[in-house]
Amino acid sequence: MDILEEIGKRSVHDLIARGIRLDNRKLLEYRKIKIQKNVVPNANGSALCKLGKTQVLAGIKFGIGAPYPDKPDEGAISFNAEFTGLASPTFELGPPNQDAIELARVVDRGFRSSGIIDLKKFFINEKNVLVLYVDLHVLDFDGNLFDACYLATMAALTNTKKPKVEVDNVNKTAKIIYGEFDGNLELQGIVTSSTFAVVKDKIMLDPNRLEESAMDAGIVMAVQDDNLVAVQKLGYDGLTKQQILNMVDVSFQKHQELKKFVQES
Amino acid sequence: MEEMKENNSNQEQNQPKQLFVNGKRLDGRSEYEMRELKIAANVLNSANGSSYIHWGKNKIVVGVYGPKECLPKHTSDIFKAIIKSSYRMAPFCSSEGRDKPGPNRRSIELSKVISNVFEGLVVTEAFPKTEIDIFIEVLQSDGGTRCASITAASVALAHAGIPMKDMVVAIACGKADGKIVLDPSKEEDNFGESDIPMAITVHSKKFMLLQLDGKVKKEELEKALDLALNSVETIYNKQKSALENLYSQKLDQDIEAELVMD
């Protein structure tokens, strides 16, 4: 048991009863957000998102794969999250654990549902399609990986270059020519998410590590314009219908704020 | 790539043009109608608690073991019990090809969210340093397996005599041809625009699980929350009679016959 974390949790509980957060933020206020695009020029697209002390690097690469039988005219997208050992004393090396899998799947769900990436444009021929891989590297962990990963992915997508592909239509093969590009990836909109922690019936936006470990329940809501595109409830306790609807409203408000960060960075 | 394969590799069936025909859903139900639901408790000999659920064409068995010593020891909590759920799909459970046995990314995520539901429900503080295992085996899948699993696991835990703060029921809403529908079928799940699984406590009416996939407006989410809240009583009554049947001679013959298991 981590004694310091237990003490920290207690301070979160004591303070929130008076409506105060550990770092003096307002209940519905984000930490400082900083997004840097194209930090790994070798990748097709990349972005580093700093959300307070949390840092996530999203890297995008293209590969070639066979189309799925049920979607013969579409390419694919694939998300993976890596909790690197350097991000936290509690992260261990090895295959993705259930938290990393949940993170990647919830981010995947939002981008897939929104349809901002037109997978039909990834079609090459009947045997080959482009596959867009998003790898999310958690470099420093201080809570709220969901929003950091959504921001990093979104920013990385906006500076993603499509690869040049050499196609042999006789043998039905295709090969990516590395180092050469075929224009920018087109996107139809911006997806962002807002994560909330509920502690003693108080709703906090963008929980840090201690607030996350002290939370009774939480929720991630991913939004595009006036649509919800992904939701995942977190934590052990339940949420009331009214709490959920209140958080939906905040997510839509914060979407406008977050969109600017993606566009202006 | 792996992610997509798991989700879609077996969906070779043709997409229906529409999910509503003459105002009815493809299986003849109206928008807010649930599929048929049967639950039985005490279907396994070895487990401390067990249940079987037959919801639509879903067939799921749940077995509960514990509280028992938490192993490996570093996973234990000196203040409470740990809930370890494992949601598994049998390789033969879908209406298409064989799935690879063992956990995949989807089942790992579902095991986590199901564990979370019961961590919040079981009085874990009563059993420090122990674990409670919930084993969920999907024998046949027909859309909405996670909700059926949670509904059945709640019965299995009660059957095991594990103290809980409340009972929980689960049901999904979907969006088919632009309409919010209750308890989506496999077709509506695969080809509809959205899937919203929910788990709600019976008495305090709190959402223990809420997931959403697909594009949904706020009003549509609100509608889905209301539809689920309105179905709590119906599902809970089935859970209650499954447990009541344990103490009467009226064992549900139908279910006993369908679950081929000693």
Side-chain angles (χ1 to χ4, degrees):
Chain A
M1 192 184 61
D2 187 345
I3 295 289
L4 282 177
E5 186 166 310
E6 288 302 316
I7 297 169
K9 273 192 207 173
R10 204 160 296 173
S11 1
V12 173
H13 280 139
D14 292 346
L15 287 172
I16 200 67
R18 292 185 275 149
I20 302 170
R21 293 175 80 166
L22 274 179
D23 50 9
N24 263 323
R25 264 186 296 159
K26 295 196 194 88
L27 290 182
L28 299 179
E29 185 184 344
Y30 268 104
R31 288 171 285 178
K32 198 174 164 219
I33 300 171
K34 205 177 155 208
I35 298 170
Q36 249 175 300
K37 289 182 185 171
N38 200 22
V39 286
V40 184
N42 277 353
N44 289 70
S46 61
L48 177 69
C49 173
K50 292 184 189 169
L51 183 54
K53 287 179 196 153
T54 290
Q55 295 192 63
V56 174
L57 173 63
I60 294 177
K61 279 278 191 185
F62 279 92
I64 286 183
Y68 294 113
D70 60 320
K71 284 175 181 148
D73 57 346
E74 285 186 9
I77 44 174
S78 168
F79 285 78
N80 183 54
E82 206 72 51
F83 287 8
T84 62
L86 44 82
S88 160
T90 58
F91 288 178
E92 282 166 23
L93 292 180
N97 64 11
Q98 54 177 18
D99 299 327
I101 289 172
E102 181 189 36
L103 176 65
R105 284 180 58 86
V106 172
V107 179
D108 179 301
R109 225 176 274 160
F111 283 95
R112 200 180 292 276
S113 301
S114 71
I116 63 161
I117 301 167
D118 185 358
L119 295 178
K120 290 217 160 60
K121 294 209 168 121
F122 289 177
F123 179 82
I124 302 169
N125 55 36
E126 301 90 276
K127 292 229 168 120
N128 301 286
V129 293
L130 282 176
V131 184
L132 185 149
Y133 293 97
V134 180
D135 283 286
L136 296 159
H137 271 236
V138 179
L139 300 179
D140 208 349
F141 174 61
D142 189 26
N144 196 5
L145 290 176
F146 288 99
D147 294 355
C149 285
Y150 265 97
L151 283 170
T153 305
M154 196 59 238
L157 285 171
T158 59
N159 76 94
T160 294
K161 291 173 285 201
K162 282 173 79 176
K164 201 163 217 171
V165 182
E166 193 181 272
V167 188
D168 179 345
N169 271 325
V170 181
N171 298 316
K172 298 277 180 235
T173 58
K175 194 169 86 183
I176 290 177
I177 306 168
Y178 292 103
E180 290 185 44
F181 301 100
D182 181 21
N184 292 327
L185 178 71
E186 288 167 46
L187 299 168
Q188 278 110 37
I190 289 179
V191 182
T192 67
S193 75
S194 291
T195 300
F196 302 88
V198 181
V199 181
K200 296 199 167 178
D201 285 329
K202 293 266 195 331
I203 294 171
M204 295 190 277
L205 180 70
D206 179 27
N208 63 25
R209 186 181 60 83
L210 265 181
E211 289 170 337
E212 257 179 15
S213 60
M215 76 181 178
D216 304 317
I219 201 162
V220 189
M221 294 178 164
V223 170
Q224 183 213 355
D225 297 332
D226 57 348
N227 286 303
L228 286 157
V229 288
V231 173
Q232 181 93 331
K233 203 220 123 214
L234 312 168
Y236 299 158
D237 270 9
L239 296 168
T240 64
K241 179 187 153 193
Q242 203 46 55
Q243 284 176 324
I244 294 166
L245 294 175
N246 289 347
M247 291 187 274
V248 171
D249 288 335
V250 179
S251 305
F252 283 122
Q253 287 163 19
K254 294 291 167 182
H255 178 56
Q256 301 306 327
E257 203 177 294
L258 295 173
K259 251 163 98 171
K260 283 193 199 116
F261 275 105
V262 175
Q263 284 161 337
E264 286 163 12
S265 57
Chain B
M1 205 64 178
E2 189 209 356
E3 182 101 357
M4 287 277 292
K5 264 185 203 148
E6 282 164 15
N7 292 340
N8 298 332
S9 65
N10 286 325
Q11 291 174 18
E12 289 179 37
Q13 72 208 87
N14 289 327
Q15 179 163 359
K17 280 208 176 63
Q18 51 189 49
L19 294 165
F20 270 89
V21 179
N22 300 329
K24 292 269 179 197
R25 293 153 76 175
L26 294 181
D27 52 11
R29 281 184 290 156
S30 62
E31 282 157 72
Y32 308 147
E33 202 177 327
M34 268 175 61
R35 291 171 292 182
E36 205 191 334
L37 167 62
K38 291 178 192 171
I39 309 173
N42 195 17
V43 294
L44 304 172
N45 287 316
S46 311
N48 297 119
S50 62
S51 66
Y52 171 71
I53 191 162
H54 187 170
W55 190 337
K57 281 179 249 159
N58 289 307
K59 294 183 175 199
I60 299 165
V61 196
V62 180
V64 168
Y65 285 83
K68 59 182 195 181
E69 187 186 10
C70 187
L71 293 172
K73 276 212 165 110
H74 69 86
T75 60
S76 71
D77 187 322
I78 55 164
F79 293 118
K80 63 181 194 67
I82 301 287
I83 309 283
K84 294 181 179 170
S85 320
S86 108
Y87 164 100
R88 296 279 190 120
M89 287 181 112
F92 46 78
C93 76
S94 83
S95 57
E96 289 100 21
R98 176 178 185 261
D99 298 317
K100 220 169 74 185
N104 54 33
R105 287 165 69 91
R106 175 178 173 275
S107 68
I108 291 170
E109 186 204 336
L110 293 191
S111 298
K112 180 184 171 178
V113 296
I114 294 170
S115 296
N116 283 353
V117 168
F118 291 104
E119 283 272 2
L121 217 62
V122 171
V123 185
T124 49
E125 300 83 359
F127 311 103
K129 295 192 216 171
T130 64
E131 70 178 69
I132 296 167
D133 295 337
I134 305 174
F135 295 106
I136 298 163
E137 286 291 332
V138 179
L139 305 179
Q140 180 162 282
S141 66
D142 183 34
T145 52
R146 84 194 67 179
C147 292
S149 302
I150 291 168
T151 303
S154 189
V155 173
L157 282 162
H159 175 227
I162 290 168
M164 287 187 281
K165 294 164 195 158
D166 206 337
M167 283 288 273
V168 68
V169 304
I171 190 162
C173 282
K175 192 171 161 190
D177 291 354
K179 289 180 201 155
I180 295 293
V181 294
L182 184 68
D183 189 20
S185 65
K186 189 170 187 299
E187 288 73 31
E188 288 164 340
D189 192 2
N190 288 350
F191 305 116
E193 298 106 276
S194 180
D195 180 26
I196 311 168
M198 290 162 271
I200 305 170
T201 50
V202 171
H203 296 98
S204 59
K205 300 281 187 290
K206 284 198 169 180
F207 287 81
M208 306 300 283
L209 173 112
L210 172 64
Q211 294 178 298
L212 180 150
D213 189 4
K215 277 192 179 180
V216 166
K217 298 259 188 291
K218 185 197 169 192
E219 299 69 42
E220 292 170 328
L221 176 67
E222 190 171 357
K223 174 115 204 182
L225 299 179
D226 284 334
L227 283 175
L229 284 168
N230 289 340
S231 340
V232 170
E233 206 61 34
T234 316
I235 306 168
Y236 175 55
N237 284 335
K238 303 271 184 180
Q239 290 179 321
K240 216 161 61 175
S241 50
L243 291 164
E244 278 167 1
N245 282 344
L246 292 174
Y247 302 99
S248 69
Q249 293 305 307
K250 286 187 297 171
L251 278 171
D252 194 330
Q253 291 302 318
D254 247 335
I255 286 174
E256 285 264 295
E258 270 169 286
L259 184 65
V260 188
M261 193 172 287
D262 187 24

